Amino acid sequence: MTKVLMKGNEAVAEAAIRSGCRLYFAYPITPQSELIEYMAKMMPKVGGTFLQAESEVAAINMVYGAAGAGRRVMTSSSSPGISLKMEGISYIAGAQLPAVIINVQRGGPGLGDIQPGQSDYFQAVKGGGHGDYHLIVLAPSSVQEFADMAGEAFDLADKYRTAVMILADGMLGQMMEPVEFKPAKTAEEIEALNSQHHDWCICPNVEGPEHHHHEINSLEIDPSVLEQHVYNLYDNYATIEKNELRYESYNVSDDNEILCVAWGTASRIVKSAINELKVEGKSIGMIRPITVWPFPYQEIDAAIGKNVKKVYVFELNMGQMLDDVKIAVNGKVPVDFWGKVGGIVFTPAEIKTKLEECF
Amino acid sequence: MKAEIICAGFGGQGVLTIGKFIAKAGMAEGKHVSWLPSYGPEMRGGTANVSAVVSDEPIASPIVSYPDILVALNQPSLDKFGPTIRPGGVLVVDTGMCPHGLKRDDIQFVAAPFSSIAVEIGSMRVLNMLAIGAVIGRTNIIKYETIEEDLTAFLKAKNPDLLEQNLKAIKRGIEIGKL
Amino acid sequence: MEIIAQRPKALTKLSFTYCPGCLHGVAHRLIAEAVDELGLNDVMTGVAPVGCSVFAYKFFDFDMAQAAHGRAPAVATGIKRARPNMHVFTYQGDGDLAAIGTAEIVHAANRGEHMSVFFVNNAIYGMTGGQMAPTTLPEMKTTTSPYGRKTDDIGFPIRVSELINSLIAPYYIERVSLLTPADIIKAKKAVKKALLYNKEGRGFTFVEFISTCPTNWGIDPLKSREWAKENMLPFFKVGCLRDKGEGVE
């Protein structure tokens, strides 16, 4: 397979189609427009469904319907649009449906701007919608990883019957990098995917068990039944936390005087600064959570070497993942934070300056 | 080797394409590359710019703050990015579009009335190819042959005349870059 | 012994939990009978709304989805696009369809989405306790219009069938009443026609039921039907607004 130069928005769409996604419902919004446009162009060519919904609200409910029918389905948007989807996301969580949602984040709050941001971290990992639930949240830091996560997201969604969010940003959506795609699923593989949920999904009786009455539902009017349902959801989340945690450990060693924690786009820039300072003889490690839910609490704690004076968190927000890092560090060493907001992306030089001040 | 490039100009001058061809060529030559455009309302006729990085090492940050090479095709772009060129870096500038120029003595200038030359060759549409040629002529970050191969695959069957015109523009750009 | 009436196969064995005199049970039964008669039982799926009929997903004995308030047409769109071999309907009340779900119903209809919509209009919110609906009549008192619906303040009732009829795509639109046995027989024909067209893949079909809410209107069941006849039917006129299949065999 040769590499192609592609925008993140297009690469993730292509990878989703290759992963067997044949249904996509969305509403236009910058900076994810290339994603919806790619789907509009390509879905008809593979016999899939592309539908531009009347709203983000309608789009996520179309996803709820198609996921309830047991098919691989995806929607995508950017921050304000994801807010609109939150009601549907909560229902999807409650009804335990597998679905993939992409957020190409921009600056907020409100209409904000259209430049890259990371200020939807809380929304993605701490709820966003109402009720007790989690999404698996994957945070890519390159176009290649963004694309790879499409297939991983569908596999995780199907395995655990949960919604998976890919939390990207305007930079990853808009930038082009070389991408190598995994082979597309064959017709037989897609057929198998379409019938994998026949024991619970909406499907003709002739395709599933003899006669069935499947309910796609998040309503349990009896509090004791609802309580048990939520306990079951959390048993599932516990399994996910045990099995699916992912993070990158960069330049972590006993020599580290600083341990950085950064995710997504921010982590790339921190890496640049770490590399430059390494040349100057300064040892700095970095943990990059790849799943931001589940979050690598213990792994961050374990990466704090004996010479680490400080844990430094860099985000393109006012300090959101920072809270989780503080839980992980639990007072062992001071935790510092620096962020840029409103769609302004910090530069390697700025991060370098911040880190130099620590020595 | 790591070259950080900014191409900037009016929307419609093809600055995004300049970056894209350079990045694609870099990729074809086995290098790590990234291409990051400005986006949003700017693309509707205002100023547009793109950061491209071509490097032997993996690219940590695709954001270019201090370019090694700036291609500036209008005065506002030159005013904005000209001062950020790294000392010793290269400025490819369309003198016809940037009447006020840039006062620096620590960078290399590849200055020519590129827009007028493009019209001379046959069309304003080859302006971006002239600029790519100028970059190749001065810096060697990518090879002419790689771009030629890419363009040929893309255009030979579809529009051989346009292919000829484009290749001519790149070669002319290379000559200017070597001056 | 000859069986002359029995529970339709398309209903589960659960007893309806609706209030005495409520007509949801009648509407459910009409749909279930039509599903049986058209032999759709193995390929039917319904989408339940938020409102009194939220539990419809328990009462119909085929696959059912429960949708967020007003979103049933979007959910049904997702199901139909994902499983084109299945036949989908939504069952929605006036608050669900004509207030919070206005965008979803208008756009599903406008796309000519292959689904049937059964819209129960009783001019009031039932489950939440008798609040004003978009179809509440002028001067009608509800818990959120305690002095009567003031049209200069909150506007007039929405005639949803007429609204849908302004769109090009829908295939069949009819308003029926559930107020008398004779009306119910006519309503059954409309339900069956909607589901037949659905089965044949003809497009978007829409049936509006004029219904009652004795509990929240505060009128006994029989009188509530008289009230509806006198007050609702003059504003919401029954009849077929559109049938593109008329004359088609």
Side-chain angles (χ1 to χ4, degrees):
Chain A
M1 199 69 212
T2 51
K3 287 192 173 182
V4 286
L5 191 66
M6 244 175 149
K7 281 193 172 199
N9 282 335
E10 294 176 337
V12 75
E14 173 63 26
I17 292 172
R18 285 166 180 261
S19 310
C21 174
R22 289 294 179 274
L23 294 131
Y24 172 85
F25 305 97
Y27 186 85
I29 184 170
T30 309
Q32 65 91 51
S33 296
E34 296 81 3
L35 209 170
I36 185 169
E37 287 164 4
Y38 193 88
M39 287 297 197
K41 195 169 139 195
M42 300 308 287
M43 273 299 191
K45 294 187 182 178
V46 295
T49 294
F50 164 83
L51 183 59
Q52 180 171 329
E54 59 270 27
S55 68
E56 303 287 3
V57 176
I60 192 69
N61 281 284
M62 290 170 186
V63 169
Y64 176 91
R71 301 276 314 270
R72 286 196 158 179
V73 57
M74 185 169 108
T75 187
S76 62
S77 188
S78 178
S79 310
I82 296 291
S83 293
L84 278 168
K85 289 187 198 294
M86 277 299 157
E87 175 199 43
I89 290 173
S90 173
Y91 275 68
I92 286 169
Q96 292 180 273
L97 301 180
V100 174
I101 301 144
I102 296 177
N103 183 359
V104 183
Q105 295 172 94
R106 52 194 251 185
L111 199 49
D113 63 15
I114 57 173
Q115 299 307 315
Q118 295 186 315
S119 49
D120 303 345
Y121 178 92
F122 280 153
Q123 184 193 49
V125 309
K126 306 291 180 193
H130 58 282
D132 273 316
Y133 77 91
H134 280 295
L135 305 174
I136 297 177
V137 185
L138 306 174
S141 69
S142 69
V143 172
Q144 180 70 60
E145 199 176 28
F146 196 8
D148 289 343
M149 279 177 179
E152 291 159 13
F154 278 111
D155 289 345
L156 288 167
D158 283 328
K159 185 174 174 189
Y160 295 102
R161 280 187 64 179
T162 182
V164 180
M165 179 178 280
I166 303 178
L167 193 57
D169 63 46
M171 192 173 98
L172 291 164
Q174 292 297 325
M175 76 186 288
M176 287 204 276
E177 282 186 314
V179 194
E180 200 172 340
F181 288 107
K182 296 194 167 63
K185 296 255 188 247
T186 63
E188 293 74 35
E189 286 170 326
I190 289 173
E191 196 46 51
L193 289 173
N194 289 347
S195 56
Q196 66 179 323
H197 297 305
H198 272 172
D199 56 329
W200 60 262
C201 78
I202 290 171
C203 58
N205 279 322
V206 284
E207 287 178 21
E210 278 287 294
H211 174 77
H212 61 251
H213 166 79
H214 293 155
E215 291 173 1
I216 304 304
N217 176 40
S218 63
L219 172 66
E220 299 296 351
I221 204 78
D222 178 342
S224 62
V225 176
L226 179 62
E227 183 182 52
Q228 190 53 53
H229 172 61
V230 177
Y231 285 164
N232 293 346
L233 292 180
Y234 273 71
D235 284 348
N236 192 33
Y237 297 147
T239 311
I240 294 168
E241 284 183 286
K242 195 164 145 251
N243 296 341
E244 307 299 344
L245 182 75
R246 288 174 56 200
Y247 64 98
E248 180 190 358
S249 185
Y250 188 76
N251 204 41
V252 170
S253 78
D254 274 348
D255 299 335
N256 290 164
E257 290 186 61
I258 307 285
L259 179 70
C260 295
V261 186
W263 60 284
T265 283
S267 71
R268 294 177 69 116
I269 297 156
V270 175
K271 254 187 205 175
S272 269
I274 290 174
N275 292 344
E276 287 179 34
L277 287 165
K278 197 175 181 181
V279 177
E280 297 172 20
K282 297 185 170 73
S283 175
I284 302 166
M286 181 176 77
I287 295 288
R288 172 173 77 94
I290 297 172
T291 52
V292 285
W293 196 91
F295 190 79
Y297 294 106
Q298 287 162 21
E299 292 69 17
I300 288 172
D301 177 52
I304 303 171
K306 57 182 188 303
N307 294 318
V308 168
K309 294 181 290 194
K310 184 193 270 186
V311 170
Y312 216 141
V313 178
F314 296 99
E315 296 181 84
L316 298 171
N317 59 41
M318 290 300 286
Q320 298 195 16
M321 179 186 68
L322 172 64
D323 283 8
D324 282 324
V325 175
K326 281 181 174 169
I327 291 169
V329 175
N330 199 19
K332 201 186 222 176
V333 294
V335 178
D336 211 343
F337 172 80
W338 192 64
K340 293 286 274 180
V341 291
I344 295 172
V345 179
F346 39 56
T347 63
E350 287 172 314
I351 299 292
K352 194 180 165 203
T353 306
K354 289 286 159 191
L355 289 171
E356 275 169 338
E357 287 167 5
C358 303
F359 286 88
Chain B
M1 188 284 288
K2 181 177 173 191
E4 298 187 310
I5 306 148
I6 290 179
C7 309
F10 290 121
Q13 281 181 311
V15 291
L16 300 189
T17 315
I18 297 173
K20 188 173 170 181
F21 271 101
I22 291 174
K24 267 180 90 179
M27 181 177 75
E29 291 173 22
K31 297 193 168 74
H32 295 272
V33 299
S34 68
W35 176 95
L36 179 67
S38 60
Y39 58 88
E42 285 176 333
M43 66 199 268
R44 314 279 176 236
T47 60
N49 69 77
V50 63
S51 303
V53 182
V54 178
S55 171
D56 291 329
E57 301 293 320
I59 297 159
S61 172
I63 296 168
V64 176
S65 312
Y66 305 104
D68 302 299
I69 302 162
L70 172 67
V71 177
L73 297 183
N74 67 11
Q75 188 68 47
S77 299
L78 183 58
D79 293 344
K80 184 172 176 187
F81 297 109
T84 66
I85 302 169
R86 280 184 201 275
V90 175
L91 170 65
V92 174
V93 58
D94 186 335
T95 49
M97 298 296 289
C98 304
H100 306 299
L102 174 74
K103 285 186 180 50
R104 278 186 67 168
D105 52 14
D106 58 344
I107 57 169
Q108 310 173 47
F109 283 78
V110 180
F114 287 106
S115 296
S116 314
I117 299 169
V119 174
E120 235 172 70
I121 292 174
S123 161
M124 269 300 273
R125 288 171 62 195
V126 301
L127 173 63
N128 49 15
M129 294 297 146
L130 270 169
I132 289 170
V135 170
I136 295 173
R138 179 59 60 103
T139 70
N140 294 322
I141 57 163
I142 50 165
K143 297 191 184 77
Y144 165 76
E145 291 73 20
T146 320
I147 300 263
E148 186 188 17
E149 203 176 306
D150 187 15
L151 279 173
T152 305
F154 178 59
L155 280 177
K156 185 152 194 183
K158 250 197 315 199
N159 194 339
D161 292 344
L162 185 61
L163 174 65
E164 266 328 293
Q165 217 174 57
N166 275 316
L167 294 179
K168 194 173 161 193
I170 299 175
K171 286 174 188 157
R172 182 72 189 279
I174 291 173
E175 285 169 24
I176 297 166
K178 284 189 170 150
L179 285 177
Chain C
M1 198 165 63
E2 191 193 354
I3 296 170
I4 52 170
Q6 65 179 346
R7 181 189 295 274
K9 266 168 52 194
L11 288 177
T12 60
K13 295 208 167 60
L14 290 176
S15 298
F16 293 141
T17 43
Y18 299 113
C19 300
C22 174
L23 296 171
H24 272 312
V26 174
H28 283 19
R29 182 171 176 111
L30 297 184
I31 294 167
E33 285 179 356
V35 168
D36 282 4
E37 288 163 23
L38 293 167
L40 286 167
N41 305 62
D42 287 330
V43 287
M44 198 74 234
T45 187
V47 183
V50 168
C52 286
S53 49
V54 65
F55 289 119
Y57 68 88
K58 293 184 177 190
F59 298 137
F60 289 107
D61 193 15
F62 35 75
D63 289 352
M64 291 291 295
Q66 196 287 315
H69 202 20
R71 317 297 175 221
V75 172
T77 298
I79 294 170
K80 182 65 185 176
R81 300 289 180 127
R83 298 274 174 204
N85 294 335
M86 296 206 74
H87 300 280
V88 189
F89 70 80
T90 71
Y91 188 101
Q92 303 177 260
D94 40 44
D96 188 88
L97 181 142
I100 198 166
T102 320
E104 284 77 8
I105 187 62
V106 167
H107 286 273
N110 193 48
R111 288 191 299 268
E113 206 67 54
H114 285 219
M115 62 166 76
S116 300
V117 173
F118 298 116
F119 168 46
V120 180
N121 176 4
N122 61 2
I124 204 158
Y125 282 68
M127 189 178 72
T128 45
Q131 292 83 13
M132 186 182 64
T135 50
T136 292
L137 296 168
E139 298 303 328
M140 186 174 162
K141 285 182 181 170
T142 70
T143 57
T144 52
S145 59
Y147 311 109
R149 178 179 187 143
K150 302 298 173 198
T151 53
D152 57 351
D153 182 44
I154 198 72
F156 286 86
I158 297 176
R159 292 185 177 109
V160 178
S161 289
E162 285 79 355
L163 191 75
I164 300 297
N165 196 33
S166 72
L167 304 170
I168 294 166
Y171 193 81
Y172 170 60
I173 305 163
E174 181 153 0
R175 184 185 285 122
V176 296
S177 140
L178 297 175
L179 302 176
T180 68
D183 288 349
I184 291 171
I185 289 168
K186 282 186 205 156
K188 168 69 184 296
K189 285 187 179 140
V191 168
K192 193 165 172 185
K193 191 184 263 186
L195 288 177
L196 174 69
Y197 287 161
N198 186 327
K199 181 182 179 183
E200 292 174 349
R202 299 206 193 184
F204 183 86
T205 57
F206 186 91
V207 177
E208 175 176 347
F209 301 100
I210 298 303
S211 187
T212 64
C213 184
T215 301
N216 287 300
W217 289 358
I219 312 178
D220 79 51
L222 285 177
K223 281 186 188 151
S224 73
R225 295 182 197 194
E226 291 308 312
W227 189 92
K229 267 189 250 173
E230 283 163 25
N231 295 284
M232 289 184 75
L233 294 185
F235 193 88
F236 301 108
K237 292 199 166 54
V238 296
C240 179
L241 286 85
R242 182 186 302 180
D243 185 353
K244 288 189 189 173
E246 205 135 57
V248 178
E249 286 304 314

